Amino acid sequence: VDREAMARAATFYFPETKLSMMPKSLSEVTASLVEGETRPTLSFLVRLSPQGEILGHEIIESLIRSRRRMTYEEADSILLAPGPARSSFEAGAAIAGALLRLRPLCESLESERIAGGAVVIRAPEVEIQVGARGCIAIRRIDERGPARRMVAETMILANRLAAAFCSQPAIDGDGSGNA
């Protein structure tokens, strides 16, 4: 699986199909966060100050159950809605509240990265669909919407913590010091 994933390097999306980096049985079932199903994972538990400073963290093996699968557009509708309108979302008050609490932390993380010299690449993303009669529809996706930015910042944070963990002298999993 690793050799195949390295050969492909990414999942490629075409108008009428998708060429997955990993086999579908892994990428869309076993290793996917399927709503309502328990999945094994590595959880990155991070305690942040309101300014986005890392106060503490740990990486643990865990079991999680995704409560709700959301599109970026659904999350953006919550994040961009005026206060009173937020209570009517299908996602529920708990999910809306979590998104709203996470947003300023992600904004702080992004600001700190940029202030530290991070390169910001703003590349447009497009969605291409081919209709039944062969008509092509192209839609530009706002890659800087709040939900996409939040996912990007949390993934960058997780990768940063994983890199710090992996750069430790002995990574062996059993605490013996034998790599």
Side-chain angles (χ1 to χ4, degrees), residues 101-156:
R101 286 189 306 278
L102 185 58
R103 184 179 184 181
L105 292 171
C106 290
E107 289 170 347
S108 293
L109 288 168
E110 181 181 49
S111 294
E112 174 125 356
R113 278 189 324 99
I114 292 169
V119 175
V120 178
I121 301 170
R122 302 211 193 285
E125 187 176 336
V126 295
E127 180 181 279
I128 303 170
Q129 293 182 337
V130 178
R133 296 183 183 187
C135 296
I136 297 174
I138 300 173
R139 179 177 74 97
R140 184 181 172 128
I141 298 170
D142 178 11
E143 75 280 356
R144 296 309 295 167
R148 280 183 168 76
R149 289 172 62 195
M150 289 169 60
V151 168
E153 287 308 317
T154 53
M155 292 305 298
I156 291 167

Side-chain angles (χ1 to χ4, degrees), residues 4 44 51 70 90 99 105 116 130 132 135-136 149 151 171 173:
E4 186 65 25
F44 288 70
Q51 296 74 37
M70 295 183 75
E90 283 182 39
L99 286 172
L105 292 171
V130 178
C135 296
I136 297 174
R149 289 172 62 195
V151 168
I171 300 173

Side-chain angles (χ1 to χ4, degrees), residues 74-89 96-97 100 103 146:
E74 288 172 320
D76 282 347
S77 70
I78 292 170
L79 294 164
L80 299 173
R86 292 181 183 136
S87 61
S88 65
F89 289 105
L100 293 166
R103 184 179 184 181

